[in-house]
């Protein structure tokens, strides 16, 4: 316990990097929500459904127009069944650490809701949760438009999935207009992609992000341009030109070709590429599509691109270990991981440190759509890393000083390096120091 306590104290003082969030701009938070409707927007709601809750019942519980007590009565049996999961524990931690209440129970739900609404009305909640309580130096926001105010909080990881899977000719034309290109051919589409990437970089993007494992396999094969061109040209057929017509699903050949085109740009621009692997948010999906091993051909071909592999690839944790061990350009990202399964995250760190160089692991990414969950997740992440490193100290793998060094790499140095955040962190630290004075 002595090693754990010292490590946790050290880790709790770190100003950490958060590798992945889906938080909306604070001004866009739903002002009509309450604690149940916001906290059940995702994640724990999936565990409640897994515990047997119906979709109709979930809809009722999320409806903030209905009395809170009535909604709590519906959800309580399922909440009690699932509260010990990582998702549930994160919310209990948030209730205690942010609102001073003993978890989420029938006794606390009313005062928790009052405190939640009061905090939102007061304003400055992102500052309180992300900076003051979670001690996050900077978070990478997925595909967000970051306002000048929020640049102290977020850098951008840019989604470009629609260039790989465009859904309708009208959206294709709109994307072209956004960068000043008339789209008539696949050459035009590739040119628009290049211009869009450069526009995102000028807007502050520090990485690219792919979430296509939700809709297709992660095997992106080498495809002849002629095949991709033929598939792209279907957009211009008469059945896909009217706004009211349904979109067309681009065939795999075109998708594969455009992924390679995007990676060539990432290579040329020196951009790290974040890829969703492993578990899918929601209930029900084809988990085999998101096995990181399917990306091996990309790791081999684009050896200069740093691949930041998301969600510790749960349940493909050891597959990811093998990839990170064998490829210089493959990095492990534990975003979402500590709430998927805290125990799996701890065990993974212990095993990874036996197999993978310690400078290849990013410890934390909240991956939340609501800010309170980030605090709960960050707390679990700090505890997990401290516990795993304490075990390595206890078994003689390395001493306490080495454990602290590795903790610093995992929470700060590695994500700072692979996302080129050095200047942003210095500016943020200087601004925070000036504010304290």
């Amino acid at each position: 316990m002595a090693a754990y306590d010292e490590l946790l104290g050290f880790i709790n003082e770190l100003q950490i990097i958060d590798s992945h969030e889906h938080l909306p701009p604070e001004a866009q938070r739903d002002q009509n929500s309450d604690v149940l409707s916001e906290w059940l927007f995702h994640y724990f709601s999936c565990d409640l459904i897994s515990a047997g809750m119906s979709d109709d019942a979930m809809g009722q519980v999320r409806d903030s127009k209905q009395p809170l007590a009535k909604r709590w009565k519906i959800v309580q049996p399922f909440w009690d069944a699932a509260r010990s999961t990582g998702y549930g524990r994160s919310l209990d931690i948030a209730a205690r650490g942010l609102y001073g209440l003993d978890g989420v129970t029938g006794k606390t739900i009313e005062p928790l809701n009052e405190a939640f609404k009061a905090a939102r009305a007061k304003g400055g909640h992102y500052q309180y949760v992300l900076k003051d309580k979670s001690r996050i130096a900077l978070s990478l926001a997925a595909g967000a438009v970051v306002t000048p105010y929020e640049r102290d909080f977020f850098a951008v990881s840019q989604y470009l999935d629609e260039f790989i899977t465009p859904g309708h000719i009208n959206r294709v034309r709109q994307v072209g207009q956004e960068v000043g290109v008339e789209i008539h051919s696949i050459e035009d589409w590739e040119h628009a992609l290049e211009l869009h990437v450069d526009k995102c970089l000028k807007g502050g993007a520090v990485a690219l992000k792919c979430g296509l494992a939700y809709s297709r396999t992660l095997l992106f094969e080498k495809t002849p341009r002629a095949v991709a061109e033929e598939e792209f040209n279907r957009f211009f057929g008469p059945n896909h030109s009217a706004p009211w017509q349904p979109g067309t699903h681009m065939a795999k050949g075109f998708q594969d070709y455009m992924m390679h085109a995007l990676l060539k740009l990432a290579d040329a621009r020196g951009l790290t590429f974040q890829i969703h692997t492993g578990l899918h948010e929601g209930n029900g999906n084809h988990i085999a599509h998101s096995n990181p091993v399917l990306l091996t051909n990309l790791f081999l071909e684009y050896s200069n691109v740093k691949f930041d592999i998301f969600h510790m690839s749960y349940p493909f944790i050891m597959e990811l270990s093998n990839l990170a061990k064998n490829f210089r350009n493959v990095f492990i990202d534990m975003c979402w991981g500590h709430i998927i399964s805290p125990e799996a995250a701890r065990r993974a760190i212990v095993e990874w440190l036996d197999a993978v160089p310690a400078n290849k692991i990013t410890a934390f990414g909240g991956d939340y759509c609501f800010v309170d969950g980030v605090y709960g997740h960050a707390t679990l992440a700090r505890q997990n890393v401290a516990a795993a490193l304490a075990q390595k100290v206890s078994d003689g793998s390395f001493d306490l000083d080495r454990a602290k060094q590795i903790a610093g790499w995992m929470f700060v140095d590695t994500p700072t390096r692979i996302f080129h955040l050095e200047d942003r962190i210095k500016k943020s630290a200087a601004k925070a120091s000036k504010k304290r004075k």
Side-chain angles (χ1 to χ4, degrees):
M1 286 299 294
Y4 171 79
D5 291 340
E6 184 165 346
L7 283 165
L8 183 59
F10 172 81
I11 292 169
N12 280 341
E13 292 301 313
L14 294 174
Q15 295 283 342
I16 65 177
I17 303 300
D18 175 351
S19 67
H20 186 52
E21 293 295 352
H22 292 282
L23 299 174
E26 187 168 10
Q28 293 180 14
R29 290 181 71 198
D30 183 358
Q31 297 303 304
N32 296 316
S33 67
D34 64 6
V35 73
L36 279 184
S37 60
E38 184 162 304
W39 283 18
L40 295 184
F41 182 80
H42 68 160
Y43 289 160
F44 192 51
S45 57
C46 300
D47 281 349
L48 299 177
I49 290 172
S50 179
M53 191 175 186
S54 71
D55 293 341
D56 287 344
M58 180 59 68
Q60 294 179 55
V61 172
R62 284 174 170 160
D63 184 0
S64 59
K65 296 178 182 178
Q66 301 299 317
L68 185 69
K70 175 184 176 182
R71 292 150 58 208
W72 178 255
K73 187 175 181 180
I74 296 171
V75 76
Q76 183 172 10
F78 307 103
W79 199 297
D80 288 342
R83 69 167 59 252
S84 58
T85 67
Y87 295 163
R89 289 158 62 185
S90 178
L91 298 184
D92 278 340
I93 291 169
R96 294 187 185 100
L98 299 178
Y99 300 106
L101 294 163
D102 189 19
V104 186
T105 67
K107 293 181 179 180
T108 66
I109 190 64
E110 292 282 0
L112 175 61
N113 192 48
E114 292 173 6
F116 171 89
K117 289 186 173 182
R120 184 177 56 200
K122 180 180 178 182
H125 199 55
Y126 276 24
Q127 171 69 36
Y128 175 66
V129 176
L130 298 177
K131 297 290 188 180
D132 302 343
K133 297 292 291 186
S134 302
R135 298 180 67 81
I136 294 172
L138 198 67
S139 301
L140 268 66
V145 176
V146 177
T147 66
Y149 163 73
E150 288 169 327
R151 286 181 187 140
D152 290 339
F153 296 89
F154 303 111
V156 175
S157 178
Q158 189 64 50
Y159 276 108
L160 293 172
D161 291 352
E162 70 174 339
F163 280 93
I164 298 171
T165 58
H168 197 284
I169 184 60
N170 292 296
R171 179 55 186 158
V172 168
R173 289 169 176 154
Q174 182 181 359
V175 168
Q177 290 169 1
E178 290 171 359
V179 291
V181 176
E182 290 289 335
I183 307 298
H184 299 291
S185 66
I186 194 169
E187 291 91 347
D188 296 334
W189 189 237
E190 290 182 83
H191 184 44
L193 171 61
E194 183 174 10
L195 293 174
H196 189 77
V197 168
D198 290 339
K199 181 180 178 181
C200 292
L201 290 176
K202 290 179 181 178
V206 299
L208 303 179
K209 168 73 168 64
C210 172
L212 290 174
Y214 278 91
S215 58
R216 54 152 292 159
T217 173
L218 286 178
L219 177 60
F220 294 92
E221 298 173 286
K222 201 76 170 176
T223 303
R225 196 168 195 270
V227 171
E229 183 174 25
E230 181 179 354
E231 293 174 1
F232 184 73
N233 286 345
R234 293 176 190 165
F235 265 129
F236 300 91
N239 293 330
H240 302 290
S241 58
W244 49 264
Q245 287 281 358
T248 183
H249 178 73
M250 295 305 297
K252 185 175 181 294
F254 173 82
Q255 295 180 27
D256 290 358
Y257 176 86
M258 288 305 301
M259 172 57 85
H260 284 264
L262 180 54
L263 282 168
K264 284 189 285 186
L265 282 173
D267 191 355
R269 304 299 190 271
L271 289 167
T272 296
F273 203 84
Q274 298 183 314
I275 302 182
H276 175 105
T277 66
L279 184 70
H280 304 89
E281 205 280 328
N283 296 90
N285 214 310
H286 291 286
I287 189 64
H289 286 174
S290 59
N291 189 328
V293 172
L294 296 170
L295 297 163
T296 301
N297 63 314
L298 302 184
F299 302 153
L300 285 165
E301 180 169 354
Y302 302 97
S303 60
N304 293 321
V305 175
K306 292 182 176 68
F307 291 89
D308 186 50
I309 305 303
F310 269 16
H311 313 317
M312 65 183 189
S313 290
Y314 182 90
F316 307 110
I317 291 171
M318 290 302 102
E319 286 87 341
L320 180 55
S321 178
N322 180 278
L323 293 166
K325 185 178 184 67
N326 278 280
F327 288 94
R328 180 179 56 195
N329 59 332
V330 174
F331 294 80
I332 294 169
D333 196 320
M334 299 190 75
C335 62
W336 192 12
H338 301 279
I339 54 171
I340 291 173
S341 171
E343 176 62 23
R346 286 193 295 273
R347 284 189 284 106
I349 295 167
V350 171
E351 293 196 38
W352 286 335
L353 291 175
D354 279 343
V356 178
N359 65 345
K360 301 197 73 179
I361 305 168
T362 291
F364 175 68
D367 204 0
Y368 267 102
C369 294
F370 60 91
V371 69
D372 290 346
V374 178
Y375 169 78
H377 193 175
T379 300
L380 279 172
R382 292 177 193 266
Q383 293 170 353
N384 280 346
V385 174
L389 292 174
Q391 180 176 330
K392 302 302 284 183
V393 171
S394 177
D395 67 22
S397 296
F398 41 73
D399 62 19
L400 200 55
D401 287 340
R402 171 68 171 172
K404 291 179 180 179
Q405 180 186 46
I406 292 172
W409 287 347
M410 292 175 66
F411 278 108
V412 183
D413 296 352
T414 295
T416 297
R417 183 181 78 253
I418 66 175
F419 299 119
H420 309 294
L421 299 175
E422 292 84 358
D423 289 342
R424 290 288 302 273
I425 298 302
K426 288 178 183 178
K427 290 179 182 177
S428 179
K431 189 171 183 178
S433 177
K434 185 177 180 181
K435 186 176 180 180
R436 286 194 297 270
K437 292 178 180 179

